[in-house]
């Protein structure tokens, strides 16, 4: 259900307002205010979830990247090169060490899950390994600190490969980061999302292999942002040439060229068509803005 610029309320689906339905799945808040969703859920029971931390080296990161894009659909991981945080499960003498932190979620059988996680555990001697059977919602305890107010400077790109130099630059930068909570964030793409056609929705980067972002977080939001922004910009300048597109939800105010990177080729022009149809006066403009024609 979407409230449009003229105040009318419509349902967007494959059968009703299909062009709007296409656009709002990836096009951000450019077309209206979504007030109701109907989701198709997948039922899961007990899962394997938790955090595996391995000392960060080029070989460890490379092996993780290779495995992340080849693993079963039942395994989802989100990783980051970062300083080991002062979490209760991190030994006190290892806090601050540069690690590859791998947040794990396995939704298949527990027995098969242990087999699927073996290659991750074999990457190196863990600093910490908290993976255990849990209820699905319990995984969010690991990201709870980031729900508190904080400052952040972010740069993001999709990529099909990362060079040894980029991995080395990331590890070195984290070792000298402006904040102990800065992270070089990595996700493998593919899986079910990758089997959707790139033109099926306004999110058009389904064929990319990796999601790569610099997420520099400082926990005191009143702290001066400039040193953190500078650190982020310096690392970004060293790696951005390996990127191919960007996820719009990770964009800061980076200009129209970057918005077009989020919507490559015909995707952008199609979004302009939908914007012109549903919001010709550009009422919804406080976003990564798609401007209507005229």
């Amino acid at each position: 259900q979407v409230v449009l610029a003229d105040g009318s309320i419509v349902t967007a689906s494959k059968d009703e307002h299909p062009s709007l339905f296409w656009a709002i799945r990836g096009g951000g808040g450019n077309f209206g205010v979504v007030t109701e969703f109907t989701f198709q859920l997948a039922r899961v029971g007990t899962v394997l979830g938790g955090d595996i931390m391995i000392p960060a080296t080029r070989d460890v990161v490379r092996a993780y990247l290779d495995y992340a894009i080849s693993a079963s659909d039942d395994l989802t991981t989100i990783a980051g090169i970062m300083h080991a945080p002062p979490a209760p499960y991190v030994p006190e003498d290892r806090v601050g060490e540069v690690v590859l932190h791998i947040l794990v979620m396995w939704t298949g059988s527990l027995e098969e899950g242990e087999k699927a996680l073996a290659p991750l555990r074999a990457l190196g001697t863990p600093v910490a390994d908290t993976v255990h059977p849990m209820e699905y919602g319990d995984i969010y305890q690991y990201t709870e600190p980031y729900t508190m107010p904080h400052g952040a400077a972010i740069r993001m790109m999709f990529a099909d490969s990362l060079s040894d130099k980029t991995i080395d630059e990331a590890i070195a930068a984290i070792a000298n980061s402006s904040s102990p909570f800065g992270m070089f964030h990595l996700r493998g793409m593919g899986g079910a999302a990758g089997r959707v056609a790139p033109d099926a929705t306004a999110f058009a980067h389904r064929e990319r292999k990796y999601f790569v972002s610099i997420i520099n977080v400082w926990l005191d939001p009143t702290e001066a942002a400039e040193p953190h922004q500078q650190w982020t910009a310096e690392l970004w300048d060293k790696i951005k040439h390996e990127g191919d597109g960007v996820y719009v939800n990770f964009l800061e105010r980076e200009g129209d060229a970057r918005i077009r990177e989020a919507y490559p080729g015909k995707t952008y022009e199609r979004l302009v068509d939908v914007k012109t149809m549903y919001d010709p006066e550009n009422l919804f403009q406080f976003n990564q803005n798609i401007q209507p024609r005229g």
Side-chain angles (χ1 to χ4, degrees):
Q1 188 178 80
V2 188
V3 181
L4 301 177
D6 64 3
S8 61
I9 300 174
V10 302
T11 296
S13 70
K14 65 178 182 178
D15 300 315
E16 301 177 74
H17 298 273
S19 63
L20 178 63
F21 186 53
W22 173 87
I24 60 178
R25 288 177 294 159
N30 272 285
F31 312 99
V33 179
V34 178
T35 57
E36 184 177 301
F37 294 91
T38 299
F39 289 108
Q40 181 179 7
L41 301 180
R43 183 177 298 278
V44 296
T46 301
V47 299
L48 274 179
D51 191 359
I52 299 173
M53 291 187 186
I54 308 289
T57 67
R58 180 203 295 172
D59 289 344
V60 165
V61 174
R62 173 74 62 210
Y64 165 76
L65 290 171
D66 290 344
Y67 186 62
I69 60 173
S70 64
S72 163
D73 279 9
D74 283 320
L75 179 64
T76 298
T77 62
I78 299 177
I81 303 169
M82 60 183 289
H83 295 277
Y89 55 88
V90 175
E92 188 174 347
D93 63 344
R94 308 299 293 273
V95 171
E97 185 174 336
V98 178
V99 297
L100 181 67
H101 139 85
I102 309 169
L103 201 60
V104 168
M105 171 60 66
W106 170 266
T107 59
S109 76
L110 299 184
E111 181 180 358
E112 291 301 314
E114 292 293 344
K115 296 176 183 177
L117 294 179
L120 296 178
R121 288 174 163 143
L123 293 176
T125 302
V127 172
D129 182 348
T130 69
V131 176
H132 65 284
M134 62 169 64
E135 295 303 309
Y136 177 81
D138 292 347
I139 194 67
Y140 293 106
Q141 66 182 296
Y142 291 95
T143 56
E144 186 175 0
Y146 297 102
T147 65
M148 299 295 104
H150 61 270
I154 298 172
R155 292 293 184 273
M156 185 272 164
M157 65 187 189
F158 293 107
D160 285 330
S161 63
L162 293 178
S163 67
D164 288 347
K165 183 177 181 182
T166 286
I167 294 172
D168 291 345
E169 293 280 13
I171 294 172
I174 292 297
N176 296 283
S177 60
S178 63
S179 166
F181 299 98
M183 179 188 300
F184 191 74
H185 182 79
L186 301 165
R187 307 185 193 187
M189 301 285 286
R195 292 191 288 273
V196 175
D199 62 353
T201 70
F203 176 69
H205 297 286
R206 297 179 184 275
E207 296 176 338
R208 301 282 72 82
K209 291 183 177 179
Y210 301 114
F211 181 115
V212 182
S213 59
I214 305 164
I215 305 178
N216 196 13
V217 170
W218 55 102
L219 297 187
D220 181 356
T222 67
E223 187 178 330
E226 288 79 8
H228 306 299
Q229 292 170 338
Q230 180 179 349
W231 179 88
T232 303
E234 288 175 354
L235 178 54
W236 175 241
D237 284 343
K238 293 175 181 177
I239 70 164
K240 63 184 180 182
H241 62 282
E242 296 189 354
D244 187 352
V246 61
Y247 181 42
V248 69
N249 282 7
F250 275 58
L251 274 177
E252 296 190 338
R253 294 187 179 274
E254 299 175 47
D256 186 64
R258 286 281 278 162
I259 295 173
R260 288 176 178 267
E261 285 184 46
Y263 305 116
K266 296 180 180 179
T267 302
Y268 186 84
E269 294 306 315
R270 189 173 173 184
L271 286 170
V272 172
D273 289 341
V274 179
K275 179 74 170 182
T276 304
M277 179 184 302
Y278 286 95
D279 185 16
E281 302 300 321
N282 202 15
L283 176 68
F284 301 112
Q285 60 181 271
F286 299 105
N287 46 38
Q288 303 296 344
N289 195 231
I290 307 293
Q291 297 191 18
R293 289 192 174 89

